[in-house]
Amino acid sequence: MLGFDPFTDFDSLARGVLSGQQSGTMRTPRFMPMDLYKIEDRYVLTADLPGVDPGSVAVSVDNGVLTLSAQRSVASDEGVKWLASERFAGTYRRQVTLGDGIDTAAISAKYDNGVLSVVIPVAEKAKARKITVEQSEQPQASITATST
C-alpha cells in the first residue's frame, strides 16, 4: 500500500531554506501526524489537522500518489505583542505512494473536528477470491494386475 519516501521532509526543509522564509511567530509546520490501517477491503488514513481552515483541506491522486494538503492561518500581527507563539501556521502537505491494487476513482475524504479521514478502497481485481475447482464427470478407470 505505502511506499516510504525519506526525502520528502528533506525537500520541504530545503525549499524553506532556499525560499528565504524567516522563522519567528509564523512557524511552518513540520509534519502531519497520521495513522493508516486496513479494514476488510479498504484502507483508512486519518490525519490530525487541528485548527486548519476547512476550505483549504485538499486531497488529490496523481499517478499513484495520494497528496494531502491544508492551510492554517494565524491572526494578523498588527498591534500584537506576542508573549508566546508555539502553534504552527502555514501549509501542511503529506504524500503517500499507493500500490497497484487501489481503486483511485473511489477514494473518499471527510474533514471533521480537526481530523481528516480518507477511505482508500482496494480495487475489485485485487481482492482475494476463491476459485471453484471443477471435477471431471468421466468415470474413473480401474487397472487390474495379474501375476504369472
Side-chain angles (χ1 to χ4, degrees):
M1 163 69 190
L2 291 176
F4 176 67
D5 182 7
F7 299 105
T8 302
D9 290 334
F10 182 72
D11 287 343
S12 297
L13 177 64
R15 274 193 299 273
V17 170
L18 295 174
S19 70
Q21 290 179 347
Q22 295 188 8
S23 60
T25 60
M26 186 78 138
R27 295 179 6 165
T28 304
R30 287 194 253 169
F31 63 93
M32 176 190 304
M34 70 172 211
D35 292 331
L36 179 67
Y37 52 94
K38 186 175 182 184
I39 298 177
E40 298 172 4
D41 60 350
R42 67 190 179 279
Y43 294 93
V44 178
L45 182 149
T46 55
D48 289 343
L49 295 169
V52 302
D53 305 325
S56 74
V57 177
V59 177
S60 64
V61 177
D62 184 27
N63 209 17
V65 177
L66 177 73
T67 302
L68 313 173
S69 61
Q71 177 75 31
R72 184 168 173 199
S73 304
V74 292
S76 171
D77 281 344
E78 286 185 39
V80 174
K81 182 179 179 183
W82 289 98
L83 301 176
S85 177
E86 297 177 353
R87 298 176 65 210
F88 292 122
T91 302
Y92 290 82
R93 186 166 181 249
R94 187 91 186 243
Q95 292 185 313
V96 177
T97 303
L98 302 174
D100 292 333
I102 299 298
D103 184 358
T104 58
I107 293 174
S108 62
K110 177 179 150 186
Y111 180 69
D112 187 35
N113 291 326
V115 178
L116 175 65
S117 298
V118 181
V119 176
I120 307 165
V122 174
E124 196 64 38
K125 66 181 181 182
K127 292 180 183 175
R129 60 187 174 97
K130 187 173 182 176
I131 299 171
T132 305
V133 179
E134 295 181 22
Q135 294 185 13
S136 167
E137 294 187 21
Q138 295 177 349
Q140 293 182 350
S142 59
I143 300 175
T144 333
T146 57
S147 62
T148 53

